[in-house]
Amino acid sequence: MKLSINDYQTVIFDCDGVILNSNNIKTHAFYDSALIYGDDKANDLAEYHIKNGGISRYKKFDYFLNNIVGCEASKEKVDELLLNFSKKTKHELLKCEIADGIFQLREELSSDWIVISGGNQDEINEVFSHRKIDSLFVEGCIFGSPDPKEVIFDREIKLSKIKYPALFIGDSKYDYKVSREFDVDFIFLSKWTDFTDWKEYTDLHSIKTFSSIKDLSLIHI
């Protein structure tokens, strides 16, 4: 069955690369925060981040320490990386581009809107409040890490915050995989993605693809 976007009860948004033009900000922040371990390892982390878009910084720093640096991912080491990362992103997130057309789309749709992001939940809520876009979403339904997306989806479905039919709008392979796991329709946005092979991947899996939120008004998927 083909649904118009205004037939969904719940529309779920990723944040980075979908609502905010922030993927490059995060990539540079991963590199900069890891420089204390050397340039080569910092580059390796940035490449790992790009290849694993949508996964939380907590898991990425655990992987970095365990598999790239080759040391124990102790709480102290992870916390240091997290603090460096947050310092390097927060200022930029307060001024980066917001998706064109998001306010118009909110006026057109009666669905519940929620956010499920790999970004830090407290940070996202603070940035959205400061930039006055938090009101676009159901109160208390802007979610992020440290909980992974699968945990958030499972929890919010059980709490009936995600109602079917539901649509997830993302920009990564991981976003698509999560949508399939929970039987949620999916749209891939390409304009700001850092997934370099997105065209081949979306063609292979017959994923509906659009450039940006601005293109989503009254579409059929």
Side-chain angles (χ1 to χ4, degrees):
M1 183 177 72
K2 290 187 176 182
L3 295 179
S4 168
I5 193 170
N6 55 346
D7 291 330
Y8 290 98
Q9 289 201 68
T10 309
V11 179
I12 306 149
F13 294 79
D14 180 40
C15 176
D16 297 311
V18 174
I19 297 171
L20 299 179
N21 184 10
S22 48
N23 279 330
N24 285 336
I25 292 170
K26 299 291 179 73
T27 299
H28 289 305
F30 275 110
Y31 171 82
D32 289 341
S33 63
L35 270 175
I36 56 175
Y37 293 94
D39 180 71
D40 288 345
K41 288 181 171 57
N43 273 312
D44 288 345
L45 175 60
E47 290 177 9
Y48 177 77
H49 158 68
I50 291 171
K51 291 177 181 177
N52 293 274
I55 296 174
S56 78
R57 67 191 69 173
Y58 298 84
K59 288 190 174 182
K60 288 174 181 174
F61 284 134
D62 273 343
Y63 179 90
F64 171 69
L65 291 168
N66 285 323
N67 297 281
I68 296 176
V69 176
C71 68
E72 179 189 358
S74 67
K75 184 178 186 303
E76 291 75 18
K77 288 186 173 69
V78 172
D79 284 348
E80 181 183 22
L81 290 166
L82 288 168
L83 180 61
N84 289 340
F85 183 89
S86 182
K87 286 178 179 178
K88 295 177 185 303
T89 58
K90 187 173 180 180
H91 178 70
E92 295 301 319
L93 292 174
L94 292 174
K95 64 181 184 178
C96 68
E97 185 179 0
I98 298 171
D100 191 20
I102 194 168
F103 293 99
Q104 179 183 344
L105 187 65
R106 177 66 281 184
E107 291 177 0
E108 294 174 355
L109 302 183
S110 60
S111 52
D112 291 338
W113 281 19
I114 72 176
V115 173
I116 299 181
S117 171
N120 178 269
Q121 181 167 306
D122 291 340
E123 181 180 271
I124 297 168
N125 275 278
E126 184 178 350
V127 169
F128 279 25
S129 176
H130 180 87
R131 306 200 66 178
K132 303 186 187 311
I133 56 175
D134 55 324
S135 61
L136 298 174
F137 307 96
V138 175
E139 185 176 358
C141 289
I142 298 173
F143 304 112
S145 60
D147 290 336
K149 290 180 179 178
E150 295 94 335
V151 169
I152 299 170
F153 265 86
D154 183 61
R155 182 188 69 222
E156 299 308 315
I157 289 169
K158 289 175 179 175
L159 291 171
S160 298
K161 294 290 182 67
I162 296 175
K163 303 179 183 71
Y164 289 89
L167 173 69
F168 187 24
I169 301 171
D171 72 324
S172 70
K173 184 191 300 186
Y174 176 51
D175 291 340
Y176 173 68
K177 289 180 176 179
V178 173
S179 74
R180 294 297 84 214
E181 181 176 349
F182 293 97
D183 196 26
V184 171
D185 287 342
F186 183 74
I187 286 176
F188 185 95
L189 297 187
S190 63
K191 183 177 180 180
W192 293 333
T193 186
D194 52 11
F195 178 20
T196 55
D197 297 325
W198 69 266
K199 185 67 169 64
E200 293 83 354
Y201 186 82
T202 55
D203 286 348
L204 177 64
H205 294 278
S206 300
I207 300 170
K208 288 292 183 180
T209 305
F210 296 85
S211 176
S212 65
I213 285 176
K214 186 177 182 180
D215 301 316
L216 297 182
S217 293
L218 304 180
I219 61 166
H220 291 268
I221 71 170

